[in-house]
Amino acid sequence: MPVGIVYSLEVHDPQAFIASMTKYWNSETGQKNLGYAIVRQIVSGGESSASHTVADVYPSYAAWDKSTAINANSEELAIFAAETRESVSFVGSSIFEFTGVVVGKGEVETGPAMTMIYQLSVSDPETYATALKRFDEAAPSENLSGLFQIRGAGESDITHVLSISANSMADLMGNLKKDQTGSAFESFIDDVSSTRSVVGTFVTADVAVFGN
């Protein structure tokens, strides 16, 4: 199952940051990296100072370790780090693991994707996942959703993230409104009310994807 780390960033110069990302991923070191990176702009995120997220995704922890070793003595990575000190401020990070739970029947293109992120505190992951799949069977969404477990989030109560995506803001919000009405949704809320709470939400727009 895919794993990785997501960085929350305050990007002062988006064009310079994307140029630095492009230079690194096109470099000899970047070409050897076993993962890929998704840059997203935060369209709506409450009071957080973060303007963007970057998710570094790997097919496994072993692949992540190999990529870390490749980067360890890389001149290209050192240049990237030096350049981004001028264009980016670090806000936070957390490790994620894909749970394998996917719901919805939407077909989402990575490039233009719009995503609603639900940050969750889940006390019984198995019960939550079962209820989510039952909800999907009863009322399949036109959006596409994936459930991720969060590791190493510091003092945050976030244990999981539900990522809900569509190809446009109109599709995303229209489908969400449709999904969150009716008896199937009411049953889902009843099923998970004692096992999960929503810590926060934010909306992102995909900006660029780099890597293999």
Side-chain angles (χ1 to χ4, degrees):
M1 295 290 184
V3 301
I5 185 166
V6 60
Y7 298 96
S8 297
L9 307 172
E10 185 176 357
V11 179
H12 315 299
D13 188 338
Q15 288 186 332
F17 178 61
I18 293 299
S20 297
M21 289 282 289
T22 302
K23 184 190 300 184
Y24 164 76
W25 283 98
N26 287 342
S27 72
E28 183 178 351
T29 300
Q31 292 294 313
K32 293 177 181 177
N33 196 312
L34 301 178
Y36 63 95
I38 306 174
V39 181
R40 295 183 172 103
Q41 181 180 2
I42 297 175
V43 177
S44 176
E47 297 179 0
S48 172
S49 63
S51 62
H52 292 73
T53 66
V54 177
D56 289 342
V57 187
Y58 303 92
S60 65
Y61 282 117
W64 189 350
D65 286 341
K66 288 179 182 178
S67 295
T68 300
I70 290 169
N71 281 324
N73 298 309
S74 165
E75 181 179 350
E76 291 94 345
L77 185 64
I79 292 171
F80 171 76
E83 289 179 351
T84 54
R85 274 195 286 270
E86 301 298 322
S87 59
V88 172
S89 295
F90 176 79
V91 177
S93 64
S94 57
I95 290 172
F96 60 86
E97 300 173 355
F98 179 50
T99 65
V101 175
V102 177
V103 296
K105 57 184 180 179
E107 295 183 4
V108 180
E109 301 171 11
T110 303
M114 303 295 300
T115 301
M116 168 73 83
I117 302 291
Y118 281 84
Q119 299 168 310
L120 308 173
S121 178
V122 180
S123 60
D124 188 340
E126 184 175 352
T127 295
Y128 179 77
T130 299
L132 186 63
K133 287 184 279 190
R134 188 185 301 122
F135 174 43
D136 181 55
E137 291 171 1
S141 175
E142 295 296 332
N143 290 331
L144 183 65
S145 303
L147 182 64
F148 298 83
Q149 184 170 9
I150 301 301
R151 307 279 192 182
E155 297 179 0
S156 170
D157 292 331
I158 299 167
T159 63
H160 291 74
V161 160
L162 184 65
S163 172
I164 306 174
S165 297
N167 288 316
S168 69
M169 184 70 83
D171 287 344
L172 177 66
M173 294 305 180
N175 293 335
L176 272 173
K177 186 175 182 179
K178 191 187 311 177
D179 296 340
Q180 295 176 353
T181 58
S183 59
F185 182 69
E186 291 174 2
S187 295
F188 168 69
I189 294 300
D190 287 342
D191 290 342
V192 302
S193 60
S194 63
T195 63
R196 78 95 176 91
S197 60
V198 177
V199 179
T201 61
F202 61 97
V203 178
T204 66
D206 285 12
V207 173
V209 179
F210 299 94
N212 305 307

